[in-house]
Amino acid sequence: MAEAAAFQGTGPSPARRWLRRTLTVAVGAPLLAGLLQTPSATPAQAAEENPVSRTVDVSIDTLTPSAPVEGDTVTVTGTLTNRGKRVITDATVNLRVGPRMDSRSEIDQVAGRKGFRSDSDPQPLDTVPEIDIPRLEAGVSRDFRFSVPVAKLGLDDEGGVYQLGVSLTGQTSQQQYDRVLGIERTFLPYQPEPTSKRTQLTYLWPLISSAHVSADTASDEQQSPVFQDDELAEELRPGGRLDEMVTLGQGLPVTWVIDPDLLASVDAMANSYRVKDGTGHTAGLKENKELAQRWLGMLEKAVQGRKVVALPFADPDLASVAHRGKAVPGSLEHLQSATALAGSTVETVLHVRPATDFAWPVEGAVDPSIMAVATSAGARKVIARSDSIRDGGLAYTPTAARPVGGGTTAVVSDAGLSTAFQGDMVRAETSTLAVQEFLAQTLAITLEQPQDQRSVVVAPQRQPSVAQAQAMAAAVRGLGARRWTQPIDLVAAAAVKPDPDASTRVPAASKYPKKLRDGELPVQAFRDMKSTRDELDDFQVILTDATRVVPPVGSAINREMSTSWRGRAGAAAIYRVDVQDVLQRLTKSVVLVDKSALTLSGRSATIPVTVQNKLLQDVEGLVLRLTSSNGTRLKVDGGTSADLPITVRAGHSQSVKFPASANANGQVSMTAQLYTVDGTPYGTPMTFSVKVSEMTPTVMLVIAGGVLLLVLAGVRMYSQRKRLAARAAENRTEPETGPEPGTAQETGAGPVDATAGPVDGAPGSATADRAEHPSDLDADTGSESGDPSGPGEKVDR
């Protein structure tokens, strides 16, 4: 028979059940008389039995169908575990179905009970055979199974929510009389016919992950992004968290709520990406690339024809911005850029146009500052929660949409339904009980005001685990018959006519939960973001191709505000430092080459300063300023300082020559500093010294005299050599003969000295002045000229 209970045999005979109940009364009567002689107990103590009622752990692992109708057969399976230290004997397992529940609060009360309560737990069903367990050893578990037609459960024809319990009654060696030693309760929503007004239900299906992409990129043509780690691939694998979210969400009537940064990260992995490896990075695995391509293909199919809501890029923590970030200039600009980036990212990757005017604070907790920050970033609809915006005096669940002023709508999700699947859902019992309570609550909402249709929103946790996602999907499928609910997307839910009795008051800042406030990003985090953003703004003005730097670093700054950093303060700080390091490494690729001390001999000269560009692109829009610490002794271009524009090709160095004039001898400190065209200092200044040694007329006369003496000495040596040569020739030549053929005729000029160089000042002279422009291109020394000048470097004249 379908209604028969199965557990290693059949249920006890009617005669045996009668005998057991008789013995229970006989043994319990003296105990009852003794209790009547003791002082009266409190109501709670009188209602709840001794903790012995939890000696046996009763686990309800499955209940199918989760929402039965007339003609169905309800199957309940589970496990019994003896947690006590004694053997349980002569036990039975019973199915208990309670009366119809009238409110959500009654469901909450039943869900919170632990032990058996004689005043509220229903009696075992006489129509369902009990399961006999002769002996259950300590620490031993046994399975049970009930299969009962709905007609045998005693449910009302009009339907409703019913308590369904499984209990074990038995004896121990210490207490040899029948007692309830364990019980588990769940809920049975029963609505045989659709209600006249079905509740509109919106279930958000979030696709959000933590930050995985760094600010760094490879130097290849594709500018491949560099990932912090390869953990995202684990979530994309079959059975991984993100894979399960897409697999389970396909076909469900849900609203997809997506972080565009997740799409951008997976899209990067699907094309070409690299992963940090120590101080460098290596190419991503081919199998991970294929995983990313597969996941994006699944998601694109799943969202077709469904409503998609795009959160601001990287899912910024609105509460942190409102409570900590507003004190730092520029924080709201980060939020606005994240919102502007959202729509284009989703549309590019998934080829659907998302709604981008929604904001979702952490756990739906709001206050006036959070609402102001959300709207300033472009949101006109804020997803709040009913434990933040409370409806104190209402005996029913109102519609979610609430106008809160300023053209902003608070979409208030139901706190009970939204938190139904938090916690550990790995155990089958926990998941089953959560699903049944969720379905029961939704039916109770409909039956609160059956004549009025209302709209309810469910906003679960941002990053559900695999087990939590599976429980969520089971609950949504349980509503598939649409007997008391009907699905509606979030955009439509936000546009539903508000309930005039529902609260529209945003709670004060003092009501914001302390636990959530303690998890916010610190003020220093926003200071770090501002410092990085300012440095990026200064850097991009000198680049000829800013797209190689600004998008990856700008996106990384947005990731620094992510809600996913809550509870991970250390990891968040490390990420911010990494972004700063990447940008500083780039900015330090354009530097002034250090110079050694110089010597200036004379009244005027040119002082060269070299700029090195290690980037893979040209830099322009820079101005090099050279400043003299003593304008009286040494002037630069006629003044204390001089500015010259400079452009440096990729991978090259460029020298700029400043005209200088000396008025007195001595040491002068010189400072070279790069500036952007708007006058902002770029990089660190470079300081070097110049020793001025002016050559006076007396010194020139002495030098000229020395040169004359050298010339005279040379003439004398030449004459002597000529006479010696003539004498030698006379001795070798006979008087009657002339010169031999092939010999040089004496011309009166001595032989040319092969070692002599060109005359000073003549063409080709090493000391001849050459006209040069301060920024001549031939000063480009190539990438190898970045070394400091050698000691005693002379000024280029």
Side-chain angles (χ1 to χ4, degrees), residues 17 50 407 442 578 699 717 754:
R17 289 200 300 271
N50 189 284
T442 59
D578 180 74
V699 174
M717 291 175 61

Side-chain angles (χ1 to χ4, degrees), residues 248-565:
L248 294 169
Q250 294 183 92
L252 292 180
V254 296
T255 298
W256 297 82
V257 180
I258 301 177
D259 175 10
D261 179 38
L262 173 61
L263 296 183
S265 301
V266 180
D267 186 61
M269 182 179 287
N271 290 283
S272 176
Y273 80 107
R274 302 183 70 82
V275 182
K276 283 191 174 182
D277 182 14
T279 57
H281 44 77
T282 59
L285 298 177
K286 180 181 178 181
E287 62 178 281
N288 293 345
K289 177 179 178 179
E290 294 172 350
L291 284 174
Q293 292 171 342
R294 167 185 168 274
W295 187 81
L296 286 177
M298 291 171 50
L299 178 59
E300 186 174 355
K301 292 179 181 178
V303 300
Q304 296 304 316
R306 301 290 182 182
K307 187 60 67 177
V308 175
V309 171
L311 298 175
F313 190 90
D315 186 23
D317 191 338
L318 300 177
S320 293
V321 176
H323 298 155
R324 314 288 178 93
K326 283 200 306 185
V328 180
S331 297
L332 290 180
E333 295 178 8
H334 298 326
L335 191 59
Q336 291 166 352
S337 66
T339 302
L341 189 58
S344 60
T345 303
V346 174
E347 192 167 357
T348 300
V349 177
L350 295 182
H351 307 103
V352 296
R353 179 163 297 186
T356 58
D357 56 346
F358 283 86
W360 190 9
V362 175
E363 296 188 10
V366 296
D367 62 19
S369 62
I370 294 176
M371 298 295 287
V373 164
T375 55
S376 68
R380 289 294 173 262
K381 299 148 193 172
V382 180
I383 304 171
R385 206 164 71 183
S386 61
D387 52 356
S388 181
I389 298 182
R390 299 176 180 269
D391 298 288
L394 295 182
Y396 63 91
T397 303
T399 287
R402 321 281 177 88
V404 292
T408 304
T409 299
V411 183
V412 183
S413 64
D414 186 86
L417 299 179
S418 298
T419 59
F421 303 105
Q422 293 182 357
D424 184 11
M425 292 286 143
V426 174
R427 295 180 57 198
E429 175 191 24
T430 308
S431 175
T432 297
L433 296 182
V435 170
Q436 293 305 125
E437 184 176 356
F438 179 90
L439 297 177
Q441 291 281 8
T442 59
L443 178 55
I445 289 173
T446 302
L447 297 179
E448 287 171 341
Q449 296 274 321
Q451 72 282 1
D452 297 326
Q453 185 178 57
R454 284 157 291 147
S455 174
V456 176
V457 173
V458 181
Q461 55 273 32
R462 270 175 153 74
Q463 297 187 38
S465 66
V466 171
Q468 290 170 343
Q470 291 170 344
M472 290 160 50
V476 176
R477 286 194 295 266
L479 297 173
R482 304 185 182 184
R483 292 194 296 275
W484 62 86
T485 64
Q486 64 184 42
I488 184 176
D489 64 67
L490 183 61
V491 175
V496 171
K497 182 179 179 181
D499 189 325
D501 296 327
S503 174
T504 58
R505 183 177 181 181
V506 177
S510 59
K511 300 296 184 181
Y512 191 81
K514 182 179 182 301
K515 180 180 178 181
L516 295 180
R517 192 180 292 272
D518 291 343
E520 294 172 353
L521 293 170
V523 175
Q524 185 59 45
F526 292 94
R527 291 178 181 146
D528 293 343
M529 296 177 208
K530 181 181 185 304
S531 175
T532 306
R533 171 59 72 178
D534 291 345
E535 190 170 358
L536 178 62
D537 291 342
D538 294 339
F539 184 49
Q540 66 175 319
V541 299
I542 73 170
L543 302 175
T544 54
D545 185 8
T547 60
R548 293 189 64 88
V549 177
V550 176
V553 177
S555 296
I557 296 174
N558 287 333
R559 294 185 187 103
E560 293 177 6
M561 293 192 298
S562 175
T563 303
S564 65
W565 296 122

Side-chain angles (χ1 to χ4, degrees), residues 69-74 127-128 148-155 157 190:
V69 295
E70 189 176 358
D72 285 342
T73 296
V74 176
T127 56
V128 179
V148 186
V150 168
K152 299 285 186 179
L153 296 178
L155 307 179
D157 293 338
Y190 177 64

Side-chain angles (χ1 to χ4, degrees), residues 4 188 198 216 228 265 298 387 429 539 556 560 634 684 760:
L188 192 68
R198 289 175 289 179
D216 204 2
Q228 296 283 110
S265 301
M298 291 171 50
D387 52 356
E429 175 191 24
F539 184 49
E560 293 177 6
L634 179 64
T684 57
D760 187 17

Side-chain angles (χ1 to χ4, degrees), residues 8 29 55 58 108 143 145 194 216 278 303 314 327 366 392 410 493 497 519 530 532 547 622 627-628 647 783:
Q8 295 185 355
T55 299
V58 181
D108 292 335
D143 295 335
R145 181 175 183 273
D216 204 2
V303 300
V366 296
K497 182 179 179 181
K530 181 181 185 304
T532 306
T547 60
L622 282 174
T627 304
S628 171
T647 297
S783 59

